[in-house]
Amino acid sequence: MSIRTLPEIVAETKANLHCLTPEAARGMLEDEPNALVIDVREPGEVSEKQAAGTINLPRGILEMKIPEYTTDPDTPIFLHCATGGRAAMAAEALERMGFRKVSIIDCSCDEVMQALGAA
């Protein structure tokens, strides 16, 4: 038996998540003033480019830091990263914590910045 690859795990995870285009996310954010947009990339990546209105909570500390921003399980949370893989894994973790309105913006960081603007 061989081990599963990360792309296989990410694809399986995404199949069970609410995935959005950047344009759909922008539209939903207009209707959800209390929504959080979380960039789960590492701080060094974010320092090079960041979408407007995003919070940087790296994947490695997300579960520990999210309570500083919300403990309401119905807060809309939109996650993004460089390509969608870390966002998918982060979304799965937040759903396990009990958050019910978690979505991933499934695209590149550049596409997120194009839709939301640059910080």
Side-chain angles (χ1 to χ4, degrees):
M1 181 167 107
S2 63
I3 63 168
R4 293 169 50 208
T5 66
L6 181 59
E8 291 170 336
I9 293 168
V10 169
E12 181 182 305
T13 302
K14 282 183 180 181
N16 297 311
L17 295 171
H18 188 236
C19 299
L20 299 170
T21 65
E23 296 77 20
R26 183 182 60 228
M28 291 177 72
L29 286 167
E30 291 171 2
D31 297 332
E32 298 283 0
N34 296 325
L36 300 176
V37 182
I38 300 174
D39 184 338
V40 296
R41 296 177 303 143
E42 294 299 315
E45 295 172 277
V46 173
S47 70
E48 293 176 13
K49 56 185 168 183
Q50 182 176 8
T54 62
I55 300 165
N56 180 222
L57 289 178
R59 172 67 196 102
I61 62 170
L62 178 67
E63 296 90 340
M64 292 175 275
K65 294 290 188 176
I66 191 68
E68 294 176 16
Y69 295 91
T70 186
T71 55
D72 179 353
D74 291 315
T75 297
I77 300 174
F78 298 85
L79 300 166
H80 85 89
C81 62
T83 61
R86 286 175 284 184
M89 304 306 281
E92 182 181 55
L94 291 179
E95 286 182 346
R96 280 196 314 268
M97 289 180 73
F99 290 99
R100 295 187 281 255
K101 294 184 175 182
V102 180
S103 301
I104 65 169
I105 306 172
D106 193 18
C107 61
S108 72
C109 184
D110 289 335
E111 291 172 286
V112 173
M113 289 176 57
Q114 193 172 26
L116 303 182

